[in-house]
């Protein structure tokens, strides 16, 4: 019976260790600034993202800019503004605005998941969508252009300084949930809420491992340890090849900017999350080998009894 409880404790220790690492990574994503900055911070430097944002801004700009102002721009607004806007995407001022957008989006999305957990869900997958407000970025990108137009055209009768504010459009991108259609928003919200307790899960894994080794007898305790480590290693490799390296789906009709963001996030998230799970799996594999080796080197009770009878 003791060995049965030992096996149960060590299997639970393997599960708790997996849950602890998963909770740690999810908690870092939702409640810490560094991972989000690492994963998405370099996005403005990507050519595809720069081009997509520039096109979105120019389209919005040409549709809202007063006709009297467009007539004073030789070659058309799109021809003049496009290279200026594109070049302005990757500078210190814009990068600082992008960092602000990232952290605000992370905070808002965490609150969104916590609200789903507290109030329940309708089951609509769109509840997991991410709203990315790029307005601070567009304002930072177009600040020199707006100031230059004000200096150059501000003298024209009827053109007020506020007319140039339309050059900084309010652009908001709705990134639809890149999950399976069968995903349950409340399940994701529950995982997000539980992730803050990852230290308790890690301590529970350690306590269960110690208890399991204490309850087991002779070589059976080490076989039980190896069993728990096998479970942890198998789950670790499974997560490394699934959740830690996701394949983000592009919903039908997704805007080009959102598609570029999803592709970038998929690659960078995998680079951030997957190594920890490979290391975890390797360590678990080493524990399996240690458990089996110690079990084989531990003399059985029957062998010890036989040796005593021989000596007599």
């Amino acid at each position: 019976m003791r060995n049965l409880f030992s096996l149960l404790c060590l299997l639970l220790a393997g599960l708790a260790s997996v849950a602890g690492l998963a909770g740690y990574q999810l908690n870092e994503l939702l409640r810490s600034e560094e991972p989000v900055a690492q994963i998405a911070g370099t996005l403005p430097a990507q050519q595809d993202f720069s081009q997509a944002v520039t096109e979105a801004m120019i389209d919005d700009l040409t549709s809202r800019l007063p006709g009297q102002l467009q007539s004073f721009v030789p070659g058309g607004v799109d021809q003049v503004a496009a290279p200026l806007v594109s070049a302005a995407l990757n500078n210190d001022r814009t990068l600082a605005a992008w960092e602000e957008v990232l952290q605000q989006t992370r905070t808002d999305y965490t609150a969104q998941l916590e609200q789903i957990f507290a109030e329940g869900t309708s089951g609509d997958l769109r509840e997991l969508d991410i709203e990315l407000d790029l307005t601070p970025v567009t304002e930072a990108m177009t600040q020199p252009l707006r100031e230059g137009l004000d200096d150059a055209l501000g003298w024209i009768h009827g053109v007020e300084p506020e007319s140039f504010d339309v050059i900084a459009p309010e652009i908001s991108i709705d990134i639809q949930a890149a999950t399976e259609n069968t995903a349950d928003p409340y399940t994701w919200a529950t995982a997000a809420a539980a992730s803050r307790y990852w230290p308790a899960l890690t301590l529970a894994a350690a306590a269960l491992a110690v208890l399991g080794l204490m309850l087991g007898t002779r070589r059976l305790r080490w076989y039980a340890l190896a069993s728990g480590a096998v479970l942890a290693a198998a789950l670790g490799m499974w997560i490394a090849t699934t959740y830690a390296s996701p394949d983000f789906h592009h919903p039908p009709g997704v805007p080009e900017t959102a598609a570029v963001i999803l592709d970038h996030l998929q690659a960078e998230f995998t680079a951030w999350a997957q190594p920890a799970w490979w290391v975890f799996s390797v360590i678990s594999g080493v524990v399996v080998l240690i458990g089996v080796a110690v079990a084989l080197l531990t003399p059985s009770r029957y062998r010890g009894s036989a040796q005593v009878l021989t000596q007599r």
Side-chain angles (χ1 to χ4, degrees):
M1 184 62 70
R2 290 185 58 182
N3 288 321
L4 180 60
F5 282 119
S6 173
L7 176 61
L8 180 60
C9 286
L10 288 166
L11 289 175
L12 289 176
L15 287 174
S17 64
V18 172
L21 178 55
Y24 168 76
Q25 287 194 326
L26 184 55
N27 184 71
E28 285 290 293
L29 278 175
L30 295 176
R31 301 178 180 91
S32 180
E33 296 182 358
E34 289 78 9
V36 172
Q38 178 181 343
I39 293 171
T42 60
L43 193 54
Q46 303 299 317
Q47 182 177 0
D48 291 342
F49 179 76
S50 174
Q51 181 178 355
V53 172
T54 300
E55 290 177 356
M57 290 183 60
I58 296 303
D59 290 343
D60 185 272
L61 175 62
T62 54
S63 65
R64 296 197 298 150
L65 199 63
Q68 60 174 334
L69 185 57
Q70 294 190 42
S71 63
F72 285 98
V73 182
V77 174
D78 55 343
Q79 297 294 326
V80 174
L84 297 177
V85 172
S86 179
L89 186 58
N90 192 19
N91 57 46
D92 292 341
R93 181 182 60 258
T94 306
L95 292 178
W98 174 245
E99 176 68 17
E100 176 188 344
V101 168
L102 287 180
Q103 300 307 331
Q104 186 61 50
T105 303
R106 174 187 59 81
T107 301
D108 292 344
Y109 194 64
T110 302
Q112 178 179 329
L113 292 176
E114 291 177 347
Q115 182 178 1
I116 293 175
F117 178 73
E119 300 179 1
T121 174
S122 64
D124 186 358
L125 188 61
R126 295 297 303 272
E127 291 182 350
L128 295 176
D129 291 359
I130 301 175
E131 191 74 20
L132 189 65
D133 184 9
L134 292 178
T135 302
V137 175
T138 62
E139 292 177 347
M141 291 172 61
T142 59
Q143 180 180 342
L145 180 59
R146 285 183 286 122
E147 293 176 349
L149 287 174
D150 186 25
D151 293 339
L153 305 175
W155 56 271
I156 300 176
H157 179 71
V159 177
E160 302 294 334
E162 292 77 10
S163 301
F164 306 109
D165 290 342
V166 298
I167 300 178
E170 297 181 359
I171 297 180
S172 182
I173 302 175
D174 184 19
I175 303 179
Q176 298 183 21
T179 59
E180 299 290 345
N181 293 331
T182 56
D184 178 23
Y186 196 76
T187 300
W188 287 96
T190 302
S195 66
R196 63 172 70 247
Y197 302 108
W198 70 267
L201 293 170
T202 304
L203 291 176
L208 286 168
V210 172
L211 180 60
L213 290 174
M214 292 177 62
L215 288 175
T217 59
R218 293 184 177 274
R219 63 173 58 181
L220 291 179
R221 74 176 64 178
W222 301 110
Y223 283 131
L225 175 65
S227 299
V230 166
L231 177 62
L235 289 175
M237 289 187 290
W238 176 67
I239 293 177
T241 55
T242 54
Y243 291 103
S245 57
D247 183 15
F248 289 160
H249 303 282
H250 290 186
V254 63
E256 182 182 357
T257 308
V260 172
I261 293 175
L262 284 175
D263 290 339
H264 179 84
L265 292 182
Q266 176 178 314
E268 293 300 321
F269 176 81
T270 300
W272 174 79
Q274 195 175 56
W277 288 104
W278 287 128
V279 171
F280 176 85
S281 299
V282 169
I283 293 176
S284 299
V286 171
V287 174
V288 172
L289 296 177
I290 293 175
V292 172
V294 175
L296 293 175
L297 295 174
T298 300
S300 66
R301 178 183 303 175
Y302 301 104
R303 182 182 299 178
S305 301
Q307 290 177 351
V308 171
L309 291 175
T310 302
Q311 290 176 359
R312 290 182 178 179

